[in-house]
Amino acid sequence: MSGSTDRPLGRRTFVLGTTAAAASATALTRTAAAASFGYTDDGSNYVIDTGAYLVFKVSKTNGDLTSLVYRGTEYQGYGGKNSHVESGLGTSTVTIAQSGSTILVSVAYGTLKHYYAARSGENNVYLWTNKADTSVSATRYIVRVKAGLFLNDEPDSYTYAPTTVESADVFAKSDGQTRSKHYSKLRVIDYDYIGWTTGSAGLWIVRSNHEKASGGPFYRSLLRHQSADGGGLYEILYYGENQTESERFGLQGPYVIAFTDGGAPSSSLYAGNLTTSWADSLGISGYVAAGGRGRVAGVGVSGRDTAYAYTVGLANSAAQYWGSARASDGYFSVAGVLPGSYTLTVFKGELAVYTTSVTVTAGGTTTLNSIAIPSSNDPSNASAIWRIGNWDGTPGGFKNADLMTYAHPSDVRAASWTGNVVVGSGTETSAFPCYLWKDVNSGVIVYFKLTAAQAAAAHTLRIGVTTAYANGRPQIVVNDTWTSAVPSPPTQPSTRSLTVGSYRGNNHTFTYSVPASAWLTDTSAYNTLKIYVASGSGSTSFLSAGTSVDAVDLLT
């Protein structure tokens, strides 16, 4: 939705691992005459010829994708592994059927159903995965690509390095730069597809609408990796790391494995544009056609800070959707929504500033009058003596914030995590570390002055956080004389976060009532605020208890 259309807003399209020339090349998938469209059985696999330039094989035993041949080149395989759901399903019931210009391979493994579809004359493989319950561990589909076919030139694609930094999945190169498959940099809302191109051949995964995924539009997860053994492209169906929501069940897809002659995949394949009426009658378990879905549209959103992008999200226990609010007036439209009742949330950046409930009906449009965000819902509207950062639900603008979405905190490119901050210097935000850890930089000092009138009154200090690891939360000391109580930890994900490229958890604001007796009466002297990380959990260094900072301010 783009403004007044029905393509989901807020997605930015990225051509990953490509050259500028390839990025601007014709994006349409090449088609050809469908004279050879069809399938055969080689005894072990169903062999599907799309009638274009793509031939792929699906194992009759377990539903793995065992071969991807595009223009005569085999792309499938590294380390002796196939492409498959999770790490492979095991012995499954695999069937195939052709209906006109569509071939569908169905894979049944217990309660899990998985599907591959080919269309005559297209260089695409369409996939759906229906996970009904927790009896099967299915959290991803991974396309495993042979080594040496694509240039390994992206920060998030290099996972083979001489030194292990953390666990078995974060590495350091000899120059001190860190790499991991976790470091995608992109949020779900930021991309439509990921992959690689040589300039003459491109291999991509075009993501689904993620309606049955979890974590919302700002979630970060595995996208791809490369090593000496080959590469992997992911469609994450559910990922538990730094996850804020319970797993959703049901049909996810279609997502698409797309081959091109070097350019980006056709925009007609993007989740907001993809028309799959040809799949309506295929009998895919859990499939809901366009006619069984509805739409939510809003006249506008007022009370916005025009310096920020606003996103409107819909979520319940069964599904999630989102769209962008138009910059000029806040108009939004979210289409393709399954019927049901949803919580509608308006986000300023990534900070929730408004919620309401909406009901969606099949074939209908739920139209909302203009939404007015109350001034008190945006913490930035509170009058402050000083403020470091701004309230947008992210650590953006703080020291090392941008780097942390694609690097480990120990990375050689990171500025020192220690150092003090002087309010009024003009660098207070860029000097303040985006993350605080008990074992690394606890006790950061903020220096500030107060007028006589300000020093004569009690004030509220606020610290906003976006996530925390091991129950890390801030405790403050003012002028070495007044110490706050240790606040209770808010609900946050229990897994790693700050070290695997993700600051997105549950936004929370800590408030501290500082008495007038804590301030210095000498107006020429700097007051000091020391921010410590309190927690009895975590281990050491960057895996000690920590938290990500959204904003810090002292209210009038």
Side-chain angles (χ1 to χ4, degrees):
M1 289 167 281
S2 176
S4 61
T5 69
D6 285 344
R7 179 173 178 235
L9 291 170
R11 293 188 190 143
R12 304 185 187 104
T13 301
F14 287 78
V15 181
L16 302 182
T18 186
T19 64
S24 62
T26 301
L28 295 178
T29 302
R30 183 176 295 189
T31 60
S36 60
F37 177 71
Y39 70 90
T40 58
D41 183 339
D42 69 3
S44 299
N45 306 278
Y46 291 119
V47 183
I48 296 96
D49 191 324
T50 66
Y53 302 103
L54 174 64
V55 179
F56 65 96
K57 298 180 181 180
V58 178
S59 168
K60 294 167 58 179
T61 301
N62 56 23
D64 284 3
L65 198 159
T66 60
S67 176
L68 275 171
V69 176
Y70 176 65
R71 291 187 174 273
T73 298
E74 176 66 77
Y75 286 84
Q76 156 58 39
Y78 72 81
K81 298 179 179 180
N82 297 322
S83 298
H84 40 216
V85 174
E86 194 57 9
S87 296
L89 294 176
T91 302
S92 305
T93 300
V94 184
T95 58
I96 191 168
Q98 181 171 343
S99 176
S101 58
T102 302
I103 294 171
L104 182 71
V105 178
S106 302
V107 182
Y109 180 79
T111 60
L112 185 135
K113 305 293 188 296
H114 180 70
Y115 304 90
Y116 302 91
R119 295 278 289 162
S120 176
E122 296 187 12
N123 295 315
N124 306 316
V125 183
Y126 297 85
L127 302 93
W128 290 263
T129 305
N130 189 335
K131 182 181 179 183
D133 51 45
T134 60
S135 63
V136 177
S137 175
T139 60
R140 67 181 182 183
Y141 191 91
I142 179 169
V143 179
R144 301 186 186 274
V145 184
K146 290 175 64 175
L149 294 177
F150 296 102
L151 180 66
N152 183 5
D153 64 347
E154 286 294 319
D156 63 323
S157 66
Y158 189 102
T159 62
Y160 181 82
T163 304
T164 300
V165 174
E166 183 178 298
S167 188
D169 53 15
V170 182
F171 307 93
K173 296 171 61 179
S174 58
D175 62 4
Q177 291 192 14
T178 53
R179 298 289 189 267
S180 174
K181 62 185 178 182
H182 295 286
Y183 297 149
S184 64
K185 186 184 291 188
L186 304 176
R187 308 167 302 175
V188 177
I189 197 174
D190 294 327
Y191 72 95
D192 290 295
Y193 59 88
I194 47 94
W196 298 291
T197 180
T198 64
S200 59
L203 171 56
W204 318 91
I205 279 191
V206 183
R207 74 164 175 84
S208 68
N209 67 354
H210 280 220
E211 71 180 358
K212 295 293 185 177
S214 298
F218 313 121
Y219 190 66
R220 284 181 170 85
S221 189
L222 310 187
L223 291 182
R224 66 180 192 164
H225 75 275
Q226 277 187 337
S227 69
D229 301 321
L233 298 177
Y234 297 88
E235 166 73 347
I236 295 298
L237 308 177
Y238 175 78
Y239 195 54
E241 196 155 68
N242 205 39
Q243 180 60 254
T244 58
E245 295 183 296
S246 298
E247 184 173 7
R248 294 181 171 96
F249 300 104
L251 185 69
Q252 301 222 53
Y255 48 104
V256 186
I257 302 171
F259 283 90
T260 71
D261 289 342
S266 170
S267 61
S268 65
L269 299 177
Y270 302 168
N273 292 342
L274 185 59
T275 300
T276 56
S277 55
W278 50 265
D280 291 357
S281 60
L282 294 179
I284 294 173
S285 175
Y287 184 90
V288 179
R293 297 168 177 270
R295 185 169 75 104
V296 176
V299 172
V301 179
S302 63
R304 293 172 295 118
D305 181 339
T306 56
Y308 292 88
Y310 282 72
T311 302
V312 178
L314 302 174
N316 61 22
S317 62
Q320 62 171 12
Y321 308 89
W322 56 84
S324 291
R326 193 160 58 195
S328 59
D329 56 8
Y331 169 86
F332 63 90
S333 178
V334 183
V337 181
L338 292 172
S341 296
Y342 293 85
T343 297
L344 180 151
T345 304
V346 179
F347 297 92
K348 169 196 174 187
E350 297 183 17
L351 183 67
V353 292
Y354 181 87
T355 60
T356 189
S357 297
V358 296
T359 299
V360 178
T361 58
T365 296
T366 302
T367 302
L368 304 177
N369 294 324
S370 183
I371 292 173
I373 301 173
S375 177
S376 58
N377 284 19
D378 184 347
S380 297
N381 291 329
S383 179
I385 296 171
W386 53 260
R387 176 169 293 137
I388 302 173
N390 202 354
W391 298 86
D392 65 354
T394 82
F398 287 105
K399 183 165 61 174
N400 293 327
D402 290 342
L403 180 65
M404 286 302 95
T405 61
Y406 62 94
H408 190 269
S410 64
D411 194 288
V412 68
R413 292 167 292 178
S416 172
W417 287 103
T418 58
N420 301 320
V421 178
V422 179
V423 172
S425 64
T427 61
E428 52 265 56
T429 298
S430 60
F432 196 103
C434 64
Y435 297 163
L436 301 173
W437 290 273
K438 186 174 183 179
D439 201 35
V440 175
N441 57 353
S442 184
V444 165
I445 303 176
V446 178
Y447 293 91
F448 60 96
K449 293 181 179 180
L450 296 176
T451 66
Q454 291 166 344
H459 298 290
T460 295
L461 182 97
R462 302 186 301 184
I463 300 177
V465 303
T466 68
T467 194
Y469 176 69
N471 287 328
R473 66 270 197 196
Q475 181 182 27
I476 66 170
V477 176
V478 177
N479 290 321
D480 293 325
T481 60
W482 184 85
T483 302
S484 72
V486 177
S488 298
T491 300
Q492 296 288 4
S494 60
T495 62
R496 289 181 299 168
S497 54
L498 308 180
T499 59
V500 290
S502 179
Y503 60 75
R504 178 70 186 169
N506 294 310
N507 292 104
H508 182 80
T509 301
F510 295 94
T511 59
Y512 310 84
S513 298
V514 184
S517 59
W519 311 124
L520 300 179
T521 56
D522 183 354
T523 59
S524 65
Y526 280 101
N527 290 267
T528 60
L529 166 69
K530 295 181 180 179
I531 304 176
Y532 294 92
V533 176
S535 175
S537 304
S539 57
T540 60
S541 188
F542 297 109
L543 287 178
S544 63
T547 192
S548 170
V549 181
D550 180 10
V552 182
D553 57 18
L554 185 67
L555 302 185
T556 56

